[in-house]
Amino acid sequence: MNSSRMLRVGTITTLTLAQIAVNAAPPLAQSIQVQAEHNFIARRANPDLTPDSAVAKYADPQVGSTVDQLVSDALEHNGELRALRKEVEAAQALVKQARLRANPMVDVRRKEQIGGTDNDTMVAGSLPLELGGRRSSRIAVAELEVEVRERELANSERLLSAAVRVKFGEALAAVLKLGFDDDLVATSQRGYSLVAARVTSGGTAPLEQNMVLVELNRLKSMREVAAGNVEILLFELRNLIGMLPEQPMRLRGDFDSLVDQLPTISEATGQAIQNRPDLQALRVAENLSAARIEQARAGGRIDAALTAQYERMDFSFPQRGLSQTGQFVPIRGVFNSVTVGVTLDLPVRNKNQGAIEAAVAEAEGVKRRREFLELTVRREVASAYAQYNSTARAAEIFRVGVKDQANANLDVVRQTYELGSKSLIDYLGEQRRFIDLQNEYIDALLDTFKARVEVERAIGSPIASRQQVTRR
């Protein structure tokens, strides 16, 4: 509903309530009616919200935030999404870690004889080879985990976008109702002043003034409840976007963009099966499960590590021996040796059987979950279309066959009241029915808007509208 439609809802009652007592003094009645008609014409010519209107605190057709702007802000500032993006960054860092090769190991030892001079120095090293596809399978698992996180992030963005649009629609409908209530209160206040003037001049009984006063206070109470509802919805909308509660927010938009052509249900279902990020995440999860099976199998294959060792031994004996010159010297020797070899990890007892079975079972579970989600997606698309079609028809019936007819009925009751055929109670009762119908009409527009959002949520991508939800 655009701003001109919102104002028109309120001004219909303005014209009727200004004539609530035709038996009043003619100059006073005419002046109030002429002023009401002047206000109505002026507001029809300039449908934007006036600065002094209470609704202008929550909506501005010029500089207010559109639904697309709020969705964009939510995708950027929502705390949950920001946390998910950090998880994606963490998964990307794990890919970097998975690509790194195993570190070589060095073992240095020194052995000294207690109370003697003998010593032994050894330096050994080994280099794991990661045979059997261990490294490649580890990298594949890490890369697929990143892709799963990215799809989950995209799905959270899809759900958040729909939640913001729904909350925007609810807040906009609440603002429209508040504007309608503001007009009703202002009009009823003028009507009460007119009846009070009649009572003062002796044209009517004080009971009629009390009845109008009760109705005026009831409308004021409704208006306060409507204002509180707007505040609460805007607080919830700020929370989704990541704004502080005290930050100002004014809305800009209408419900007119709903009247456009949707794709056929078969096309929409195909788009949903192809584009839904939660389905894409499960498809990637299937590939991840297959990679984990391969990783478990690689862990059960033979592995090896290259080894090398240098050893220096300095030994002596308490006996003496002859040197090359024939002299007696201590028997002492220094021996240097180098050893190279291969260490094999033989999967004789532990072939990773349990890990392989667990990975296979996990892969089967992911497959079943993906198949069920595909069925659920088809049901969600069908349900969203059924809901949208029914709510759109209901809103159109309301617009054509209920709202205008209710306005005409109120006008007839007003005229019969002016002629004396109906009592004030009859007129106030018809006015209450008219108010209820106007609010129900706004609810019907909101239901259609929310059904449209549900269609987009079920498909997984926004549907191009014939006109934007906002007017620049």
Side-chain angles (χ1 to χ4, degrees):
M1 176 180 292
N2 55 31
S3 56
S4 62
R5 183 182 301 171
M6 181 188 71
L7 296 176
R8 186 166 59 252
V9 168
T11 50
I12 290 173
T13 312
T14 301
L15 288 177
T16 57
L17 290 183
Q19 307 170 19
I20 193 170
V22 72
N23 294 328
L28 179 60
Q30 289 179 0
S31 64
I32 293 177
Q33 179 175 353
V34 169
Q35 183 63 35
E37 292 176 348
H38 173 74
N39 293 339
F40 171 69
I41 294 172
R43 297 177 72 177
R44 282 293 301 274
N46 183 19
D48 293 337
L49 294 172
T50 56
D52 58 344
S53 173
V55 178
K57 178 182 177 182
Y58 309 110
D60 191 323
Q62 301 300 324
V63 297
S65 299
T66 67
V67 63
D68 291 330
Q69 291 171 345
L70 294 178
V71 168
S72 178
D73 291 342
L75 295 180
E76 181 178 358
H77 300 295
N78 181 266
E80 185 64 26
L81 284 186
R82 296 175 70 177
L84 290 176
R85 292 190 181 99
K86 288 300 179 181
E87 292 181 3
V88 172
E89 293 179 8
Q92 291 170 344
L94 291 178
V95 173
K96 180 179 179 180
Q97 180 64 35
R99 290 191 176 123
L100 300 177
R101 296 184 178 276
N103 290 322
M105 292 178 289
V106 177
D107 183 14
V108 179
R109 298 182 184 181
R110 172 74 175 178
K111 183 169 62 175
E112 297 280 351
Q113 181 185 11
I114 299 176
T117 59
D118 293 350
N119 60 78
D120 184 8
T121 302
M122 182 184 67
V123 178
S126 64
L127 178 63
L129 298 180
E130 294 187 300
L131 302 179
R134 282 174 168 80
R135 179 171 177 270
S136 60
S137 62
R138 182 176 69 244
I139 295 173
V141 168
E143 290 176 342
L144 289 171
E145 285 178 344
V146 171
E147 195 170 352
V148 169
R149 293 293 180 87
E150 290 174 342
R151 295 296 186 273
E152 291 175 346
L153 172 61
N155 188 56
S156 297
E157 291 176 343
R158 172 183 72 96
L159 297 177
L160 177 63
S161 298
V164 170
R165 291 181 185 277
V166 168
K167 194 61 65 177
F168 174 89
E170 292 176 349
L172 181 60
V175 171
L176 295 178
K177 291 181 179 180
L178 177 60
F180 181 59
D181 290 341
D182 278 341
D183 286 342
L184 286 174
V185 169
T187 302
S188 297
Q189 186 66 56
R190 290 192 294 269
Y192 173 74
S193 299
L194 178 59
V195 174
R198 288 184 56 195
V199 173
T200 302
S201 62
T204 188
L207 177 61
E208 189 165 320
Q209 179 183 356
N210 293 336
M211 293 172 60
V212 176
L213 178 60
V214 169
E215 183 67 13
L216 173 61
N217 290 331
R218 188 184 74 87
L219 293 176
K220 288 182 178 180
S221 176
M222 289 174 51
R223 192 266 173 205
E224 293 302 322
V225 172
N229 190 34
V230 172
E231 290 283 356
I232 292 172
L233 290 171
L234 289 180
F235 282 139
E236 294 174 353
L237 186 56
R238 289 187 184 95
N239 184 67
L240 288 175
I241 296 172
M243 296 175 60
L244 295 175
E246 60 271 15
Q247 286 185 265
M249 173 184 288
R250 288 187 292 178
L251 307 181
R252 173 162 57 111
D254 54 54
F255 292 132
D256 289 345
S257 62
L258 299 176
V259 188
D260 57 357
Q261 188 66 33
L262 293 176
T264 64
I265 189 170
S266 59
E267 293 174 345
T269 302
Q271 293 178 22
I273 296 297
Q274 183 68 26
N275 300 329
R276 278 274 292 260
D278 50 349
L279 259 179
Q280 293 176 347
L282 283 181
R283 294 191 184 103
V284 177
E286 285 189 271
N287 297 332
L288 175 60
S289 298
R292 284 175 173 164
I293 293 175
E294 179 57 31
Q295 185 181 32
R297 288 173 177 167
R301 300 188 184 109
I302 189 173
D303 197 8
L306 296 177
T307 61
Q309 177 178 310
Y310 165 75
E311 186 174 8
R312 179 184 182 279
M313 294 185 298
D314 185 352
F315 288 131
S316 63
F317 297 92
Q319 294 83 10
R320 291 177 175 269
L322 294 173
S323 66
Q324 294 179 352
T325 61
Q327 295 178 349
F328 285 98
V329 295
I331 300 176
R332 186 182 186 87
V334 177
F335 305 93
N336 295 285
S337 62
V338 176
T339 304
V340 295
V342 176
T343 300
L344 297 178
D345 182 3
L346 301 177
V348 178
R349 297 179 178 178
N350 180 5
K351 297 183 179 181
N352 242 12
Q353 301 95 320
I356 294 174
E357 292 178 4
V360 171
E362 180 185 354
E364 189 66 21
V366 173
K367 179 182 177 182
R368 295 289 181 264
R369 189 176 295 110
R370 188 260 306 163
E371 292 173 348
F372 179 72
L373 183 57
E374 287 182 352
L375 183 63
T376 302
V377 167
R378 294 178 184 276
R379 189 267 304 166
E380 288 181 355
V381 173
S383 299
Y385 265 72
Q387 182 182 9
Y388 177 76
N389 291 332
S390 62
T391 54
R393 288 193 299 267
E396 183 63 15
I397 292 173
F398 236 110
R399 185 184 67 83
V400 176
V402 177
K403 187 173 71 70
D404 295 340
Q405 186 61 45
N407 187 23
N409 292 342
L410 182 61
D411 188 61
V412 170
V413 174
R414 176 189 60 80
Q415 295 178 20
T416 55
Y417 166 69
E418 293 171 355
L419 295 175
S421 300
K422 294 287 186 179
S423 65
L424 180 61
I425 294 178
D426 295 330
Y427 180 78
L428 294 178
E430 188 63 29
Q431 177 185 272
R432 291 181 181 181
R433 282 191 291 272
F434 177 75
I435 294 172
D436 292 340
L437 288 174
Q438 290 292 345
N439 288 328
E440 289 176 9
Y441 177 57
I442 295 175
D443 289 337
L445 293 176
L446 173 61
D447 290 341
T448 306
F449 177 80
K450 292 167 69 174
R452 170 57 182 269
V453 173
E454 179 62 21
V455 170
E456 295 183 349
R457 189 199 67 81
I459 294 176
S461 58
I463 302 171
S465 298
R466 192 171 57 198
Q467 52 181 311
Q468 296 295 328
V469 176
T470 62
R471 295 176 184 267
R472 291 181 172 85

